[in-house]
Amino acid sequence: MATLTHNQDPYVDEKNAGVDVDGFDSDGASSKDTISALVHEDHKHDIKLRTMSWQKAAWLLCGDQVCLAIMAQSWSLSVLGWVPGIITMVLSGILFWITSITMHKFIMKHPQIRDICDFGYYAFGESRIAYHFTAFMLLCNNIMLIGFHVLTGAKVLNTLSDHSLCTVVFSVIVTLMGIVLSIPRTLKHVSFMSMFSAACMAIAILLFLVFSGIEAAPGYGYNGDYPTDGPVKTYAFPAAGTTFVAAMNAVLNITFLWVPQILFPTFIAEMERPQDFPKALAVLAAISGFLFIVPPAIGFRYLGQYATAPAFGSLGVVAYKKASFSFVIVPTLIIGVIYANVSAKFVFGRIMGSSRHAHSNTVLGWGVWVAVMAGIWFIAFIFSEVIPSMGDFLSLLGAAFDSFFGFIFFAVAYFHLYKGKYFAGIGRSIMTLIHIFVMIVGLFLLGPGLYAAVEAIIADYSGTTRPAFSCNNLSI
């Protein structure tokens, strides 16, 4: 096999880059030599990216997924009710596992894939249009999410300090902290931060569950302070008067939590043994299956129709609210760092190409890296300040982008992997039908889901909205 080069051009022919894909099967068994060559080439550099073990990858995955969005799921249950809500959660988890495995198999067939943009390029027939469209979605999605975490960090500091400073100042503080924490180039180093991130979020969830159980009643819901909306109650199905837009946004809230695959190709590209990624994925699936269902269910049991997003805001005792919400500052920063790292790697790679500055400890290389990272956080800060309702825009992103990154991309990849063998046996036939369903779900989120998200934005903007660069108190 020819020597592999660190080429940043996704359009280059694989064989010209030293990658022979002709012999690959759908399980990627013939890609082992290619992966070994990629790792060997990477380890010649000063800055070695392909160094993560599957255990560190598991921590990185958990650090990304054990997040504040878990605390919004009780609200989703309050809109959908027990039966549709739990079904949506379980079904989302099952589809997450299946699509992630399909994604991994596709990457094993094309081990030169470095990020979701490369994935889109190969999945859609080596299309330059697909590559650039995916790049646009990657940067929009990630930078908006970083902006959401800047805003969330400002909310945490507002809540803990009783709004001791202007909210813009708190946002600046969070942004500067994010830039400093984002300096490490390798995800191996970021995975160490993820350990603390996941632990802090777990403590926040545990404290919330204890406090919601011991307090006499919740303090606040979207329909008013307790007991404005009557005694706490739960229900099997959506309450009377629940609109399609409300129900659809609750579904988007759940699927948004279960769709982190936009980051996975970059994670896999930095593993020393990418073929071990399913081990890390299994750890994530087990932890997510518990955290994404059990704590929200307990929260709905004690908060009922008073559940807010995040659920910390429903706690009636201020000390309880502050004690539990305080731990959220760590995952807020670290998850922002993870998304910033993936985004910066894409931009940095396009700027530096295959030059030595891309993988060596040079002043120019590090200078460009820091500048790109600072630029990403700065744009995210602007978004956090000028968009009146970040929550609504995340629903919009979930419908517009997660429909691709969580469903459509992987249905298309499956059809490439098993072309001509879709119904070769019972097992393969079942998986084919499942991936057809995955495609339908993706198109549904892209159609009616996008409509519901836009309608929610219109409804919110018809009322009072937060002005740009506001000093308003954002405490929960």
Side-chain angles (χ1 to χ4, degrees), residues 6 8 17 20 23 28 77 86 122 162 166 180 203 237 265 276 280 292 304-306 334 348 377 393 401 413:
H6 190 78
Q8 294 295 331
D20 181 6
L77 287 174
I86 297 297
Y122 288 108
D162 295 320
C166 171
V180 172
I203 294 172
F237 295 94
D276 288 343
F292 291 3
Q305 74 276 29
Y306 290 93
I334 302 307
F348 182 78
W377 277 94
F393 270 82
F401 297 160

Side-chain angles (χ1 to χ4, degrees), residues 43-60:
H43 286 190
K44 293 179 180 178
H45 303 150
D46 293 342
I47 299 172
K48 301 171 179 61
L49 298 178
R50 294 179 179 269
T51 54
M52 270 202 303
S53 64
W54 73 262
Q55 293 92 339
K56 288 185 173 63
W59 275 117
L60 189 63

Side-chain angles (χ1 to χ4, degrees), residues 116 137-138 141-142 259-266 339 342 405:
I116 194 68
M137 291 194 294
L138 169 72
N141 183 80
N142 287 11
V259 180
Q261 290 102 322
I262 188 173
L263 304 177
F264 286 5
T266 305
Y339 278 93
V342 171
F405 294 138

Side-chain angles (χ1 to χ4, degrees), residues 151-441:
L151 186 63
T152 300
K155 284 187 176 183
V156 174
L157 296 178
N158 262 295
T159 302
L160 298 181
S161 68
D162 295 320
H163 189 50
S164 62
L165 293 173
C166 171
T167 296
V168 176
V169 175
F170 283 135
S171 296
V172 170
I173 292 171
V174 173
T175 300
L176 293 175
M177 292 174 68
I179 293 172
V180 172
L181 291 172
S182 299
I183 296 302
R185 295 265 286 273
T186 67
L187 286 172
K188 176 182 177 180
H189 290 93
V190 177
S191 70
F192 288 111
M193 303 183 205
S194 296
M195 297 168 60
F196 298 101
S197 173
C200 287
M201 193 65 225
I203 294 172
I205 293 171
L206 180 61
L207 289 174
F208 162 77
L209 295 178
V210 171
F211 294 149
S212 64
I214 64 176
E215 69 177 6
Y220 165 79
Y222 289 130
N223 291 325
D225 294 341
Y226 179 86
T228 302
D229 204 23
V232 174
K233 60 184 177 182
T234 62
Y235 25 88
F237 295 94
T242 301
T243 65
F244 169 78
V245 171
M248 194 66 223
N249 275 288
V251 170
L252 286 172
N253 192 51
I254 294 172
T255 57
F256 173 80
L257 181 61
W258 278 103
V259 180
Q261 290 102 322
I262 188 173
L263 304 177
F264 286 5
T266 305
F267 293 175
I268 293 172
E270 294 200 23
M271 291 183 68
E272 194 162 16
R273 286 179 49 84
Q275 55 267 46
D276 288 343
F277 180 74
K279 297 178 183 178
L281 188 66
V283 173
L284 174 66
I287 292 174
S288 298
F290 176 81
L291 289 179
F292 291 3
I293 298 175
V294 176
I298 295 173
F300 181 45
R301 160 65 179 81
Y302 287 109
L303 302 177
Q305 74 276 29
Y306 290 93
T308 59
F312 299 112
S314 297
L315 294 175
V317 180
V318 174
Y320 292 170
K321 187 182 300 185
K322 288 186 177 183
S324 55
F325 199 42
S326 62
F327 286 92
V328 175
I329 190 64
V330 176
T332 294
L333 284 167
I334 302 307
I335 294 172
V337 167
I338 294 172
Y339 278 93
N341 186 282
V342 171
S343 304
K345 276 195 171 74
F346 171 77
V347 177
F348 182 78
R350 298 297 291 175
I351 294 173
M352 305 308 296
S354 57
S355 71
R356 67 186 184 91
H357 304 290
H359 47 70
S360 299
N361 288 312
T362 65
V363 174
L364 179 61
W366 277 103
V368 172
W369 173 260
V370 173
V372 168
M373 191 62 75
I376 287 172
W377 277 94
F378 175 73
I379 296 171
F381 164 76
I382 297 299
F383 277 133
S384 75
E385 296 303 311
V386 302
I387 295 177
S389 178
M390 284 295 290
D392 284 345
F393 270 82
L394 286 181
S395 293
L396 184 68
L397 289 176
F401 297 160
D402 288 352
S403 54
F404 286 97
F405 294 138
F407 301 94
I408 295 174
F409 269 35
F410 309 118
V412 172
Y414 175 88
F415 298 142
H416 275 294
L417 285 171
Y418 299 101
K419 187 175 182 179
K421 300 182 290 184
Y422 300 143
F423 299 99
I426 296 177
R428 180 57 51 219
S429 298
I430 292 173
M431 291 305 295
T432 297
L433 292 175
I434 289 175
H435 281 82
I436 291 173
F437 177 69
V438 167
M439 176 64 80
I440 293 172
V441 171

